[in-house]
Amino acid sequence: MSGLLAGKRLLVTGVITDASIAFSVAKLAQENGAQVVLTGYGRLSLVERIARRLPEVAPVIELDVTDPEHLAGLADKVREHVDGLDGVVHSIGFAPQSCLGGGFLDASWEDVATALHVSTYSYKSLAVAALPLMSPGGAVVGLTFDATQAWPVYDWMGVAKAGLESASRYLALHLGKQGIRSNLVAAGPLRTMAAKSIPGFEQFEDAWSGRAPLGWDLTDQAPAARACLALLSDWFPATTGEIVHVDGGYHAIGA
């Protein structure tokens, strides 16, 4: 196959429904010549069913990014399907309900620690687990929501995303010696399953509809997915530690 990612082998996390950014990444990656392996946790049968909606059915590996045994065994499980990896997509985030919706001052450390472990530390954990499969020229790409300011109702997930953005820069620093890049895509709000779990998410929708210079489609994951593919490709060989905004230009406009 020919395409932007011809011959690339990718590990894509976070595919839960076909409305997720990760699904769009996997679909477009296959259409552009890549081999794709998916991970899932908790509801593997659901991920396997969604995987059958891709242009080519992708294998699914069970992975809990907070479980050291799962991480230690990831490389061997991936090798059952591909002989190496050229790219890893981190599309994982979770925060207990106490950490969202205006409860910033009341969330317990236990709940905050869960949010940080799953949404922030896992970026490093996943990259390190996949590292034995990667070679110079490889890329790790994650998804964030612009953490340069505080957002209503986003609370501790916003803190987790700020940590993710910093972790990506440090990963870029430490993996650069091996020729591996680390970049993030900051997508605008999309009506994904993750968004539905955020109380008051409609506040984001209203703000973007009125302020994004290019407009913003809350149901179109393709622009964010295309940015991920570009960063996974060979077209950004000297770009690392970067955050690419795919938000209709919202981030650049003052209040």
Side-chain angles (χ1 to χ4, degrees):
M1 294 180 64
S2 61
L4 185 66
L5 300 177
K8 299 288 188 185
R9 302 151 300 175
L10 305 181
L11 182 69
V12 179
T13 67
V15 173
I16 299 177
T17 72
D18 54 8
S20 65
I21 297 174
F23 178 86
S24 188
V25 169
K27 179 176 181 292
L28 290 173
Q30 286 187 343
E31 291 173 350
N32 279 273
Q35 287 180 273
V36 174
V37 178
L38 305 179
T39 74
Y41 172 67
R43 291 181 286 181
L44 278 188
S45 60
L46 174 59
V47 180
E48 290 167 348
R49 185 162 65 249
I50 297 301
R52 291 194 286 271
R53 299 181 185 177
L54 292 169
E56 298 179 20
V57 179
V60 179
I61 294 172
E62 183 177 18
L63 176 64
D64 176 357
V65 289
T66 67
D67 187 328
E69 291 186 6
H70 280 212
L71 292 165
L74 178 64
D76 287 338
K77 288 186 176 180
V78 171
R79 285 192 187 98
E80 295 175 7
H81 305 286
V82 292
D83 58 1
L85 288 174
D86 301 291
V88 176
V89 178
H90 179 280
S91 181
I92 298 171
F94 171 77
Q97 282 299 304
S98 67
C99 295
L100 299 162
F104 183 85
L105 298 179
D106 301 317
S108 68
W109 166 242
E110 289 75 15
D111 285 351
V112 171
T114 296
L116 295 176
H117 194 175
V118 177
S119 309
T120 306
Y121 187 77
S122 68
Y123 188 70
K124 188 279 299 186
S125 300
L126 179 64
V128 171
L131 200 54
L133 299 165
M134 302 185 75
S135 56
V140 182
V141 175
L143 291 160
T144 187
F145 188 77
D146 189 354
T148 58
Q149 55 189 308
W151 298 100
V153 310
Y154 208 45
D155 294 338
W156 284 102
M157 183 56 84
V159 176
K161 291 298 187 183
L164 174 67
E165 294 176 8
S166 182
S168 178
R169 290 188 286 270
Y170 277 97
L171 205 61
L173 171 66
H174 290 283
L175 295 186
K177 303 180 184 78
Q178 300 179 51
I180 296 172
R181 297 164 285 135
S182 172
N183 294 290
L184 300 178
V185 171
L190 293 163
R191 288 177 182 161
T192 62
M193 181 173 288
K196 292 177 182 177
S197 69
I198 302 173
F201 179 77
E202 64 277 359
Q203 295 181 49
F204 293 118
E205 298 182 350
D206 296 340
W208 250 263
S209 297
R211 277 183 52 190
L214 294 176
W216 184 248
D217 186 340
L218 292 153
T219 63
D220 186 5
Q221 293 79 22
R226 288 174 181 168
C228 291
L229 262 62
L231 291 170
L232 290 164
S233 77
D234 295 330
W235 282 91
F236 283 86
T239 298
T240 193
E242 187 59 87
I243 301 173
V244 177
H245 289 81
V246 183
D247 62 356
Y250 181 98
H251 73 282
I253 304 302

